[in-house]
Amino acid sequence: MEIADSVKFFLDAVPPDVVIVAAAKHRTIDEVEAVIRAGITHIGQNYVQQAKPMVQALGGRAEWHMIGHLQRNKVSPAVQIFNLIETLDSARLARAIDSRCEDLGKVMLVLIEINSGRESNKTGVLPEQLDDLLAEIVDLKHIRIMGLMTMGPRFGDPEDSRPYFKATRKEFDRLSAMNLPNVTMRYLSMGMSNSYQVAIEEGANIIRVGTKIFGERPRK
Ligand SMILES: *Cc1c(COP(=O)(O)O)cnc(C)c1O
């Protein structure tokens, strides 16, 4: 399918209150330009060094989400490039973002990444670590917590993702009810090409779609 057709498919298939983040790792600026032209308003990047030239070329035409693991030594360029960081998963990272944003006089919007699959090789915090992390970071003045993100399994039966999405939604609802200062439970980012429908059924209002918009990823 052409990029414009797959974008049209998603814009038609997904409820209007669900944000489609086009996951653009290893894509070219031309490909990303094509999805923006077709109507996508949010671009996700996993790597600061890939995002940089794209934001330089296409900057104001989209919102830019960091969806990959953010290393602390990349925080400085990241807070200048991205509108929202979906992958906050430690207090140390939060403090690094906060301190850099204080220098720049800005407030960074972040989602906390939940390791709902409890896989030790995965990034994100375990649900039971969430309250401790929040306690450490809610006072930081230069970040604002806007919701939660989770990965879940990338391949296989989309139904296999449902328990992970349910578990994340449960934390989302619990935190919403707590009404914490500096926390606005606005976004729940779950679901990828194989699982976006299940994610939306379970309450996602951000989905991150790569392959089903751009086609199979080029091998590096
Ligand atoms: C690549 C990626 C996606 C999109 O995956 P697809 O299966 O290509 O849709 C979503 N979220 C994250 C964090 C990714 O790295």
Side-chain angles (χ1 to χ4, degrees):
M1 232 198 291
E2 291 290 321
I3 280 179
D5 295 328
S6 45
V7 168
K8 184 172 185 323
F9 167 82
F10 272 95
L11 293 174
D12 289 343
V14 164
D17 57 325
V18 174
V19 175
I20 305 161
V21 172
K25 57 180 170 279
H26 309 314
R27 305 296 175 177
T28 64
I29 291 176
D30 283 350
E31 287 173 298
V32 173
E33 208 268 337
V35 304
I36 293 172
R37 215 178 327 117
I40 289 289
T41 54
H42 292 69
I43 307 294
Q45 263 298 358
N46 295 64
Y47 307 102
V48 169
Q49 62 271 30
Q50 288 183 16
K52 223 173 183 171
M54 277 184 195
V55 175
Q56 256 153 26
L58 305 168
R61 295 175 62 190
E63 299 270 309
W64 301 85
H65 285 203
M66 177 58 175
I67 61 173
H69 181 64
L70 180 57
Q71 289 165 313
R72 265 180 308 129
N73 63 3
K74 298 281 164 53
V75 162
S76 187
V79 298
Q80 301 183 60
I81 290 172
F82 293 107
N83 303 99
L84 188 150
I85 294 171
E86 295 201 13
T87 48
L88 183 73
D89 66 353
S90 74
R92 282 179 89 189
L93 180 60
R95 284 193 290 269
I97 295 170
D98 180 70
S99 133
R100 196 65 196 99
C101 285
E102 179 168 17
D103 298 341
L104 295 169
K106 69 189 274 184
V107 174
M108 192 74 220
L109 305 182
V110 302
L111 307 184
I112 296 176
E113 181 179 354
I114 305 293
N115 179 356
S116 55
R118 302 178 166 278
E119 292 160 79
S120 56
N121 60 338
K122 279 249 177 94
T123 51
V125 296
L126 295 171
E128 62 269 25
Q129 297 169 334
L130 193 48
D131 287 3
D132 285 347
L133 174 62
L134 279 168
E136 280 195 80
I137 68 178
V138 282
D139 289 335
L140 299 175
K141 296 276 182 297
H142 299 273
I143 63 173
R144 179 149 193 98
I145 300 150
M146 297 298 292
L148 303 180
M149 177 271 211
T150 202
M151 286 284 284
R154 180 80 136 266
F155 305 105
D157 185 343
E159 280 302 324
D160 295 345
S161 301
R162 197 181 292 278
Y164 304 95
F165 295 161
K166 268 194 200 302
T168 308
R169 168 68 186 269
K170 199 174 139 206
E171 296 303 319
F172 184 85
D173 289 343
R174 189 175 66 81
L175 295 186
S176 302
M178 285 166 74
N179 274 318
L180 293 167
N182 201 27
V183 177
T184 307
M185 281 290 134
R186 168 98 172 272
Y187 294 115
L188 182 55
S189 176
M190 320 191 284
M192 304 183 271
S193 288
N194 75 328
S195 59
Y196 71 92
Q197 284 162 310
V198 173
I200 292 169
E201 284 166 19
E202 296 302 335
N205 55 14
I206 295 180
I207 58 172
R208 308 176 311 271
V209 183
T211 319
K212 276 221 169 122
I213 285 180
F214 291 103
E216 286 303 319
R217 255 188 294 285
R219 302 216 183 279
K220 273 198 287 182

